[in-house]
Amino acid sequence: MGSILLQAFCSQNVARPENIVATVNHSERVDALSSKFGVPVTTDNCAAVKNADVILLCVKPQTLGEVVREIEPVLRESQLIISIAASVPTSYIEQRIPPKIPVVRAMPNTPSRVGAGMTAFCCGTSVKSSDLEIVHRLFDTVGETLRVDEKHMDAVTGLSASGPATFS
């Protein structure tokens, strides 16, 4: 999903490639991803997020804690963290980072690949209206965007994974 979002952000000029830094887990993927999308790519998560305004955590749920622990020392209040890790509540991230950093949990679905997706999102305790505008601007590049209460996000996750395939 991270690659889908990256491609949409660049192709729809939501962010210029030179203003995006992507990270990968394996160094052998750095050059390929950088060539494909024309963005800087690194394996250093802290370097990537240090000067970022928006941090998208497009990792598997079992990896999220490790990544958050790694980047926590360089985070600041002016950044927005958006996680698409399935089934991980905003409180999980908020408990592991400095206070007052806004956290959004988003769940785009597979039709996002063709710009016909639906992204539901919910907000942590420090999200401001300006953060909501950013979330809409980013995820509207792959379809529609809808804010929901966090108590509904697990249902959204289940539908995002299986619903589109059932009705395609």
Side-chain angles (χ1 to χ4, degrees), residues 57 64 68 81 83 88-97 103:
L57 299 175
L64 184 67
V68 170
I81 296 176
S83 168
V88 180
T90 57
S91 61
Y92 177 89
I93 298 169
E94 289 176 326
Q95 293 167 4
R96 288 158 176 78
I97 62 174
V103 175

Side-chain angles (χ1 to χ4, degrees), residues 51-109:
N51 296 313
D53 296 321
V54 179
I55 301 164
L56 261 75
L57 299 175
C58 302
V59 297
K60 294 182 176 159
Q62 62 269 26
T63 308
L64 184 67
E66 177 185 330
V67 172
V68 170
R69 190 172 28 260
E70 182 182 350
I71 65 172
E72 184 272 331
V74 298
L75 295 176
R76 59 187 194 286
E77 282 183 31
S78 61
Q79 294 172 306
L80 168 62
I81 296 176
I82 303 171
S83 168
I84 66 166
S87 301
V88 180
T90 57
S91 61
Y92 177 89
I93 298 169
E94 289 176 326
Q95 293 167 4
R96 288 158 176 78
I97 62 174
K100 299 184 182 176
I101 297 175
V103 175
V104 170
R105 176 182 173 190
M107 185 49 53
N109 62 8

